[in-house]
Amino acid sequence: MQRDVESRAADEESEARERVARRDAAVRAAVEQGLLGPDAAVAGLLDVTGIRRSAAALRAAFDAALAPGTPVLHAFAVKATPLVPVLRLLHEAGLGAEVASPGELALARAAGVPASRTVLDAPAKTPAELREALALGIAVNADNPQELDRLDALVRQAPTRSPLGLRVNPQHGGGSIRATSTATATSKFGVGLRDEGAREWVVGAFLERPWLTRLHAHTGSQGIPLPLLARGAAETYALAEEINARAGRRQIDTLDIGGGLSVDFASEVTAPTYAQYARVLADQVPGLFAGRYGLVTEFGRSLMARHGTVVARVEYAKSTGGRRIAVTHAGVQVATRTVYAPEAWPLRIAAYDAEGHPKAGPEVVQDVAGPACFSGDLLAEGRALPELEQGDHVAALDTGAYYVTAHYAYNSLVRPGIYGFTPDMGGSGGVTFAAVREPQTVAEVVAESGGAHADALTTLRAPGSR
Ligand SMILES: *Cc1c(COP(=O)(O)O)cnc(C)c1O
């Protein structure tokens, strides 16, 4: 057993070393091939090899734990990386899509993810969105009693192939980051099971609706320790057992345990792993994997974070008040959470020289600033790094989920291009890139900012005036 644990840790370390080698090769090649340069000061790079490996690790971890033949759908949480080619890659790797808006659903469809492998969860679905999902046969998890009422009406109007479920909140408490803790007593998601009379209401809601066959809980995202995540699954499982016992049949046939596995943003080595999570689940909720329930998962960050790197040129290096500052092109527009909440969302920064080689040399405490016009636009503050000089590059690591892919339009900064890469690690040192998203042009920024309506306000007249 101990040997096992040690050899798994060694696997994770060698995986991490290979990932760093691929990333270094990609940064170097991106500079060489001009994806980064005078006209492209910032770009996002996606490690296609790494994405494939994470998808495979997720599937293998749960396949190893589940009774053979158990239906399982790993639906990737699209909000983590809303890019059509990424969704297609994950689909090809055997994953589905979890969507929470008409835009995310459209992305999943554009990627070719079939309805049968798509799950719709959102706290504010409109009647039109619900109707479309049911017409397509997409699985829907209702958030609250009013939404169940809407589903009642739709199910009466037309038969649907959509598996339908209810999202519950076990209210067992949050993790270290308030904004991503979804199982607090007052979280906005799902039906709170510990509220007075709520559990009994949920049981009744299922007994009245024979077509309600799934139970869903997503109990947090980043900062939730494994035992707490597993507790969410345990409470969901216990409730399903209770409902099925009361119904006298296996009405609930599928449990959706959400995503929420944390990423260690302080280290290159992945921990916890999917295999560790699956083992904790198997230990704490053995019935979950016994084959009596189909399983849906909804991981986002843990699948993609490691595989994205934002690389930006150092435009200027200066010193103010005794502090070195590298002014770069990566800031709040690509790392919104880190810039606004640096304590909760710190990122590792890697230094590369002007040619894209890892930068060596003695470390100097410095700030890595972004391009936006407010003083808090810092990717990192007081960080010890090799001294960054004009023309060097900085890389914000682990930014494949919820970062460059979720652009923030502050200062009308353009959305950078995103490129997938596959290096030939065999010896040639070559790297092939594919554009995943072209850089936004300034003309597109003008168009999105009302460019076609330039005189809309100057020509506006109150009713009756002339
Ligand atoms: C955001 C979200 C996820 C994904 O969470 P991660 O922490 O990225 O794994 C899954 N399910 C739901 C309902 C979500 O809102």
Side-chain angles (χ1 to χ4, degrees), residues 77 79 98 121 167 216 218 220-222 258-261 298-301 402:
K79 73 170 182 284
E98 185 264 355
D121 300 324
R167 180 166 183 174
H216 172 224
H218 167 66
S221 194
Q222 190 62 18
L261 197 68
E298 305 172 341
F299 295 102
R301 181 177 291 105
Y402 302 99

Side-chain angles (χ1 to χ4, degrees), residues 21 67 82 101 134 149 196 285 289 323 350 352 364-365 401 412 421 445 465:
S101 72
L134 266 57
D149 290 345
E196 179 92 44
V285 208
F289 292 150
R323 173 66 58 83
Y352 292 89
V364 177
V365 171
S412 300
F421 64 84
V445 171
S465 70

Side-chain angles (χ1 to χ4, degrees), residues 21 42 123 146 150 198 250 314 332 345 395 410 455:
V42 55
Q146 292 180 347
R150 285 184 173 171
R250 303 211 63 77
V314 177
V332 75
W345 301 99
Y410 197 92
D455 59 5

Side-chain angles (χ1 to χ4, degrees), residues 74 95 120 165 215 285 345 358:
H74 298 294
L95 273 54
L120 173 65
L215 209 50
V285 208
W345 301 99

Side-chain angles (χ1 to χ4, degrees), residues 75-80 98-100 120-123 141 167 180 182 189 216-224 229 256-263 274 297-303 337 345 401-402:
F76 172 65
V78 170
K79 73 170 182 284
E98 185 264 355
V99 301
L120 173 65
D121 300 324
N141 289 312
R167 180 166 183 174
T180 55
T182 50
F189 298 106
H216 172 224
H218 167 66
T219 55
S221 194
Q222 190 62 18
I224 313 288
L229 267 189
D256 180 340
I257 62 169
L261 197 68
S262 287
V263 170
Y274 290 120
T297 73
E298 305 172 341
F299 295 102
R301 181 177 291 105
S302 53
L303 271 162
R337 278 182 168 160
W345 301 99
Y402 302 99

